[in-house]
Amino acid sequence: MMAAETDRGLVERVAKGDRAAVRLLFMRHHARVYRFVARQTGSELMADDIANEVFLELWRQAPAFEGRSEVSTWLLGIARFKALSLLRKKKEDWIDDHDAAQVADGADTPEVVTMKEDKAAALRHFIDAMPEEHRTVIDLAYYHGQSVSEIGEVLGIPVATVKTRMFYARKKLGEALKAAGYDRGWP
């Protein structure tokens, strides 16, 4: 069944020149790659360009994919490399990163929805203010659902380094939220 085909199976098809498999992978992963790059670069324009380049790179490199990581991890690694390369080469007017709209729980009152939105905005602000190495591990873990080992693969660093960065990032976020008057619970 086509809908149940794994990402790895689709990469194998891409390696054989199957354009339909690239389109399926694009549909599955484009939004995630785009959001990741938009957060890394702060630019929606750059994110759009880089996300498209990632899938061109998938087309070129599919025969070399060895399956040592998940396809999504591999794609995010390509995206990170391309974003860092472009940022080194090019400076442009930054476009504000608009947070994804919070989907309100139907059971939440307007007051609770507002509290959640305020805390989410504060949290995003604190994350954006963090050093890049901490911001990136938080982004990959909490906004992209990557495991510690997958984060290590994407960033090209040891798992122990990922854990250390995650520890300090969480600690700094907790301190910043507490100083701003937010408790640890949600909202």
Side-chain angles (χ1 to χ4, degrees):
M1 173 179 256
M2 192 67 82
E5 188 162 6
T6 67
D7 287 347
R8 289 173 194 241
L10 288 172
V11 171
E12 288 174 11
R13 286 177 44 197
V14 171
K16 295 174 185 168
D18 186 339
R19 291 176 190 266
V22 173
R23 285 191 294 275
L24 282 170
L25 286 165
F26 182 89
M27 290 184 334
R28 287 183 186 177
H29 298 285
H30 181 267
R32 171 184 267 187
V33 169
Y34 172 85
R35 285 191 309 266
F36 175 69
V37 175
R39 285 192 188 107
Q40 295 303 302
T41 63
S43 167
E44 294 175 3
L45 181 61
M46 287 174 77
D48 196 38
D49 290 344
I50 292 170
N52 289 329
E53 286 181 30
V54 166
F55 290 92
L56 288 173
E57 199 65 28
L58 162 68
W59 178 258
R60 287 187 212 112
Q61 291 193 23
F65 180 67
E66 297 176 358
R68 287 183 282 178
S69 64
E70 292 298 320
V71 172
S72 61
T73 303
W74 182 52
L75 293 173
L76 289 175
I78 293 170
R80 181 175 184 273
F81 175 78
K82 289 195 169 293
L84 290 174
S85 296
L86 192 58
L87 285 172
R88 281 188 206 110
K89 291 178 188 171
K90 185 177 179 179
K91 296 286 181 190
E92 71 173 28
D93 294 332
W94 296 102
I95 299 171
D96 290 342
D97 179 21
H98 298 290
D99 294 333
Q102 296 290 323
V103 178
D105 182 350
D108 288 345
T109 65
E111 180 182 13
V112 171
V113 169
T114 301
M115 290 170 61
K116 284 183 178 181
E117 288 172 352
D118 288 347
K119 188 170 185 178
L123 187 59
R124 189 73 227 171
H125 171 75
F126 295 139
I127 291 169
D128 289 344
M130 297 178 96
E132 189 270 336
E133 62 190 17
H134 292 151
R135 185 176 62 244
T136 302
V137 296
I138 291 291
D139 187 56
L140 286 169
Y142 294 105
Y143 293 96
H144 294 283
Q146 298 289 296
S147 69
V148 171
S149 60
E150 289 171 329
I151 294 169
E153 286 181 44
V154 169
L155 300 179
I157 59 175
V159 168
T161 304
V162 173
K163 289 179 181 179
T164 300
R165 288 181 184 178
M166 187 68 72
F167 172 79
Y168 286 110
R170 283 189 199 137
K171 183 177 178 185
K172 288 179 183 180
L173 280 175
E175 291 168 357
L177 285 169
K178 187 175 180 182
Y182 293 98
D183 63 20
R184 292 185 62 111
W186 195 262

